Amino acid sequence: MSNPHTAADRSILRIHHALRPGFGTEAAVYGTILVSGLVAVSSAHGETSAVVLITVAATVLVFWGAHVYAGTLARLGARPEGSEHDSLKIRRAFRESIQHSLGMLSSAAIPTLILLAGTNRLIPDDLANDVALWSGVVILAFLGYVAFLRRGSPQLVRIAGALATASFGAVFVILKALVH
């Protein structure tokens, strides 16, 4: 049977596979939306990229920690009593929760690097803040497209999925424009 994917689709899937350990998960979608909201709100009043970077990093770390903690608790509650030693049970639940939550951290990488470029004056602060915000839209579009590509959906459905997913980030672009 022939491969139904185009060369471009295969390239996209290779990129996604390389990033998959944390980037292609619901935690990555949620993390990208969170980071986009943080960038939009914290940069709406002319804050420097350094302030936006600190806000994003601190908030993402707190949310990630809370996500890991909640995931650990949920996994502990899902295991039958006495199925394994308590310390093993806790470690396994914690490890699984960290693996499941990696997307929240990895989703912040690209916007963080862009904000870092502004902090180091490689690009102007306003531009760094705006590009970091728009990077969330692009990341969400990529994640939406890949989700439907992996399902084997037709091209039009993939594009609609990319646009629908990207719209969560676009809302923050619009909100920032309205507030700014």
Side-chain angles (χ1 to χ4, degrees):
M1 184 181 344
S2 67
N3 187 341
H5 296 128
T6 66
D9 288 342
R10 287 189 298 275
S11 294
I12 289 169
L13 288 171
R14 273 194 301 278
I15 291 167
H16 180 262
H17 182 72
L19 299 172
R20 178 73 179 149
F23 191 68
T25 64
E26 75 270 10
V29 173
Y30 176 74
T32 304
I33 294 168
L34 173 67
V35 169
S36 295
L38 290 167
V39 171
V41 170
S42 60
S43 68
H45 301 291
E47 295 293 349
T48 65
S49 55
V51 170
V52 175
L53 176 63
I54 291 166
T55 301
V56 167
T59 307
V60 167
L61 285 173
V62 169
F63 268 77
W64 177 75
H67 203 261
V68 169
Y69 182 75
T72 302
L73 289 179
R75 284 173 177 77
L76 283 174
R79 299 199 191 288
E81 192 66 35
S83 62
E84 59 186 311
H85 190 275
D86 282 346
S87 65
L88 289 175
K89 189 175 174 180
I90 292 168
R91 276 187 258 160
R92 177 175 292 150
F94 182 67
R95 186 174 51 249
E96 289 172 0
S97 186
I98 285 176
Q99 289 173 335
H100 180 77
S101 302
L102 278 177
M104 190 172 290
L105 290 179
S106 66
S107 66
I110 292 171
T112 297
L113 289 173
I114 295 166
L115 292 169
L116 196 57
T119 300
N120 292 320
R121 304 292 182 242
L122 297 173
I123 56 177
D125 275 332
D126 286 344
L127 181 60
N129 292 340
D130 289 344
V131 173
L133 181 57
W134 276 102
S135 75
V137 176
V138 173
I139 291 166
L140 289 166
F142 176 78
L143 292 172
Y145 185 88
V146 168
F148 286 94
L149 173 62
R150 291 180 68 214
R151 287 178 47 98
S153 298
Q155 185 72 27
L156 190 57
V157 173
R158 293 181 220 159
I159 292 169
L163 291 173
T165 310
S167 71
F168 286 97
V171 166
F172 290 114
V173 172
I174 294 165
L175 288 175
K176 181 182 176 190
L178 294 174
V179 171
H180 194 62

